[in-house]
Amino acid sequence: MRILQIASGDFFSSYGGGQVYVKNIVDTMIDAGIDVSIISFIHNGDTQKKKYKNHSIYEVPISIAEKDLEKIVTEIEPKVIHAHSYKHIICRLGTKLNIPVVVTSHHGGILCPAGARLDCKDNICHRQISHTNCLPCYLRTIRTGLKIWYPFMKHIPQKTYISLGNKLSHLPFIPFISPIGSAATHIENHINHWHEICKKANIMIAPCNEIATAMIENGLDKTKVRVIPHGVPLPDKKPAFPPIIDGKIKFYYVGRICHVKGIHILLEAFSKVINSAIELHLIGGAGNKNEEKYMSGLKNKYQKDKRIIWHGKLSPSQVYKETSNFHVSVTASIFLEAFGLNIAESLALGKPVLASRCGGAEMQIKDGVNGWLVKPNDADALAKKLTEIIQSPDIIKKYSSNCRAISLKDHCDVLIKLYYSLIN
């Protein structure tokens, strides 16, 4: 049985949880003796066929034509395709070539034209995708789009707006005008792509109930949905839980430093807690200019609080070494987090997790058992919970003994059974 894994971008990148997850399952399946091929998307260069652990990996440009992608898939001859990106194109090719396609919804972007299922007021979106509902959120992703342009653009009929976008697509890029004028076209295309996935995907994997519900409410046949939480590499040996000396509790976060991860909420909440003994360690970095600007602003704002320590990006071995000495993992995501890789990795290390109710957190954390759950985008609620934890330090070690995570092997066993069911 040959399985084709369509990587979530560059197969070798560790920028986001999706990239890390795909590489993890590929490595685990190869170890299990599964015949795996990979298509990886790179920014520059021509298509190249290489070897990864004696398995074929095709590095292709992100601008690859669909007919060229079809040639590669035909050459690979997979029995099942598992798509983590380019989902609507892969579903179309799977239908054309009569190959079953499994799609994993790694984040709300599979539905949301703006990418995060986060509305323009920073609340998790529960509305159906449409031009009217999505326009303000999409324009928000463009500088000045929401405050200056949306009051005018919302009055333009959808067909007229789409026509404007089509005309602009034939002109050279004009700052502000091109992205603002093309918003309706982008939203329409995104919705059409989603409908194509709904129709042509054989199975849709949702890592949490929240994203499964959102997809069903937006037209996906519920019989196609499988809620399967991700697995993570488990440490060979769970580190001993470090003692808490003189109330010095070390909180930490591992992941991207970006707005949707709610780092501004986390720092605001932490700054409200008056306790000189506690620490907050932030491990991770920015992946683009907007994230760099966001991170720089937060560093400047909270530079006087010496309890906050910025570590930057660290290798997996360095992350393990550093976090072994910490006590409580904190994630304050404000968007629909389909899983939460950092939560699973923390639980695997025996670290109780304080998290916002963002979808993936509720699948992994039982409030009052292995961690704590709070309302998203609420710095006061997070600060209150931080204070409660500080006042009852003995409970942290008790919760640590209840921390578990799904192993990659167990997770891949479920996927492999799913692949076989489609072949049979």
Side-chain angles (χ1 to χ4, degrees), residues 4-13 18-23 25-26 37-42 57-60 62 69 81-87 90 106:
L4 171 58
Q5 297 285 349
I6 308 295
S8 184
D10 183 350
F11 177 74
F12 296 102
S13 170
Q19 287 93 326
V20 174
Y21 167 80
V22 175
K23 189 171 185 301
I25 65 168
V26 166
S37 294
I38 309 126
I39 292 179
S40 172
F41 296 92
I42 57 176
I57 178 168
Y58 294 77
E59 291 188 336
V60 305
I62 57 175
L69 197 57
I81 305 174
H82 192 160
H84 306 275
S85 65
Y86 287 71
K87 299 178 180 73
I90 298 302
H106 288 281

Side-chain angles (χ1 to χ4, degrees), residues 354-423:
L354 166 59
S356 56
R357 295 181 181 274
C358 57
E362 298 94 298
M363 294 294 293
Q364 304 180 70
I365 301 168
K366 292 185 178 180
D367 194 19
V369 177
N370 61 352
W372 309 264
L373 292 167
V374 297
K375 182 181 177 182
N377 200 22
D378 191 332
D380 289 334
L382 186 56
K384 182 180 179 181
K385 189 59 66 175
L386 285 167
T387 302
E388 290 177 12
I389 294 169
I390 294 164
Q391 292 172 345
S392 304
D394 293 341
I395 204 74
I396 299 174
K397 188 171 182 180
K398 177 183 177 182
Y399 285 9
S400 172
S401 63
N402 299 326
C403 292
R404 304 284 187 277
I406 299 170
S407 73
L408 267 174
K409 181 183 182 305
D410 289 345
H411 176 67
C412 286
D413 285 346
V414 174
L415 294 181
I416 292 166
K417 288 178 181 177
L418 185 63
Y419 301 155
Y420 273 116
S421 71
L422 287 172
I423 295 170

Side-chain angles (χ1 to χ4, degrees), residues 80-96:
V80 175
I81 305 174
H82 192 160
H84 306 275
S85 65
Y86 287 71
K87 299 178 180 73
H88 72 284
I89 295 174
I90 298 302
C91 287
R92 190 156 62 224
L93 289 179
T95 300
K96 182 178 181 180

